[in-house]
Amino acid sequence: MPELPEVEVTRRGVAPYLEGQVVSGVVLRHTGLRWPFPAALSQTLAGRTIRSTGRRGKYLLIHFDHGTLIIHLGMSGHIRILPLDVPPQKHDHFDMTVGNQVLRLTDPRRFGAVLWHAAEEGTVDHHLLLRTLGVEPLESLFTAQWLYSQTRGRRSAIKQVLLAGDIVVGVGNIYASESLFRARINPKTPAHRISLQRYERLAQAIREILAAAIEQGGSTLKDFIGVNGQSGYFQQNYFVYARSGEPCRICNAPVRQIVQGQRSTFYCANCQK
Ligand code: ZN
């Protein structure tokens, strides 16, 4: 599943092909993805100039003067920039033609989204899907003090609090396990019992791990462009994620796997207290 780093790398990859360019049309090859495509989207966008791109959590934002196109990659979606004459494949449900290229969204499972937020409804941060999101982990509002103050009343396990997304966005299943390992915090620890000092380690771990993933993904940028492009999901050298039973890279104890909120968590019981 695309996580925050994949979406940010996608944004950086497609931005040079979009920003300042005029949309000439939209092709929809399905009624919708998770939700129906916006009505008359081609009329809404044709002839309009893309001003900038952005990202909020795992939502890719394409800003126009009169509103914002919101794209989510769902479970299995990816975006490429292609020449106009590349024929669509089975799961290519959305094209936006920009200059002499096309932004193409491929989404086999159709859990993604393409939505329109008109400027007259206010800033896109007010969109139903965006307004409850927590702070961005790579921006200055995300601090240990923020994590600490927001978790004083939260008795759930820290792993699940991170995944909930209402305090900080974009720390998905992989990065939650990896960040808690790097901060040496047991994922089962109730969030309200973690000290400010330990949250300092966790905030730093989250920032470092996400930044490293984005940097690593940047080296695969070319994969977003061109006919043979791959999805750009990064295979990293994880410390604990998906390493159940394998030796901890620090202490050699076997990595444990548990289920929290129906999601697998990986950790080292020896290193993480
Ligand atoms: Zn260990």
Side-chain angles (χ1 to χ4, degrees):
M1 188 190 315
E3 300 225 23
L4 183 149
E6 285 85 354
V7 180
E8 178 59 22
V9 168
T10 299
R11 187 194 69 75
R12 294 180 187 186
V14 300
Y17 299 87
L18 302 181
E19 293 178 356
Q21 302 294 312
V22 176
V23 174
S24 51
V26 166
V27 178
L28 308 174
R29 299 192 189 84
H30 205 283
T31 52
L33 303 175
R34 176 177 293 214
W35 298 287
F37 287 124
L41 189 59
S42 199
Q43 288 96 309
T44 302
L45 298 183
R48 301 291 188 147
T49 301
I50 296 170
R51 295 301 178 192
S52 61
T53 61
R55 179 189 54 74
R56 187 71 178 92
K58 297 201 288 184
Y59 294 94
L60 176 66
L61 307 176
I62 300 176
H63 299 295
F64 298 80
D65 287 334
H66 65 315
T68 299
L69 191 68
I70 304 171
I71 298 179
H72 194 282
L73 299 176
M75 303 287 286
S76 57
H78 68 274
I79 280 174
R80 286 170 299 159
I81 302 286
L82 299 169
L84 286 180
D85 59 359
V86 177
Q89 305 293 311
K90 185 176 177 195
H91 302 295
D92 294 342
H93 303 303
F94 172 85
D95 281 1
M96 181 169 71
T97 308
V98 183
N100 55 4
Q101 291 179 304
V102 61
L103 177 150
R104 178 164 289 165
L105 171 61
T106 306
D107 187 1
R109 295 178 65 184
R110 293 199 298 111
F111 280 112
V114 174
L115 301 164
W116 175 250
H117 181 83
E120 63 204 27
E121 294 166 40
T123 152
V124 72
D125 286 337
H126 294 155
H127 189 277
L128 196 61
L129 293 172
L130 305 187
R131 64 186 177 205
T132 57
L133 297 181
V135 301
E136 288 288 331
L138 297 174
E139 292 182 3
S140 57
L141 288 175
F142 178 65
T143 60
Q145 184 63 49
W146 170 258
L147 276 177
Y148 180 77
S149 65
Q150 296 298 305
T151 50
R152 292 309 84 195
R154 296 284 278 264
R155 293 168 182 273
S156 327
I158 181 61
K159 162 82 176 341
Q160 286 168 272
V161 168
L162 290 176
L163 283 194
D166 59 327
I167 295 178
V168 56
V169 292
V171 186
N173 207 39
I174 297 172
Y175 300 111
S177 282
E178 290 294 304
S179 300
L180 288 165
F181 177 78
R182 185 178 294 208
R184 304 290 185 266
I185 296 171
N186 187 304
K188 294 182 285 189
T189 312
H192 75 291
R193 292 189 40 200
I194 297 174
S195 67
L196 178 59
Q197 191 181 12
R198 303 189 85 201
Y199 274 127
E200 295 278 4
R201 296 212 306 263
L202 182 57
Q204 187 178 348
I206 289 170
R207 280 192 292 262
E208 287 173 355
I209 284 170
L210 291 176
I214 290 169
E215 190 171 325
Q216 188 179 354
S219 66
T220 69
L221 268 185
K222 60 179 168 30
D223 293 340
F224 291 97
I225 314 301
V227 183
N228 299 315
Q230 297 302 305
S231 61
Y233 303 158
F234 326 139
Q235 285 300 314
Q236 293 177 85
N237 225 349
Y238 298 125
F239 276 90
V240 287
Y241 183 77
R243 296 191 66 241
S244 183
E246 294 176 42
C248 169
R249 298 193 200 281
I250 303 292
C251 75
N252 280 327
V255 171
R256 293 190 187 181
Q257 178 176 2
I258 57 171
V259 174
Q260 293 179 287
Q262 300 173 332
R263 306 294 301 276
S264 285
T265 299
F266 302 88
Y267 72 108
C268 175
N270 192 34
C271 291
Q272 293 172 259
K273 303 294 185 188

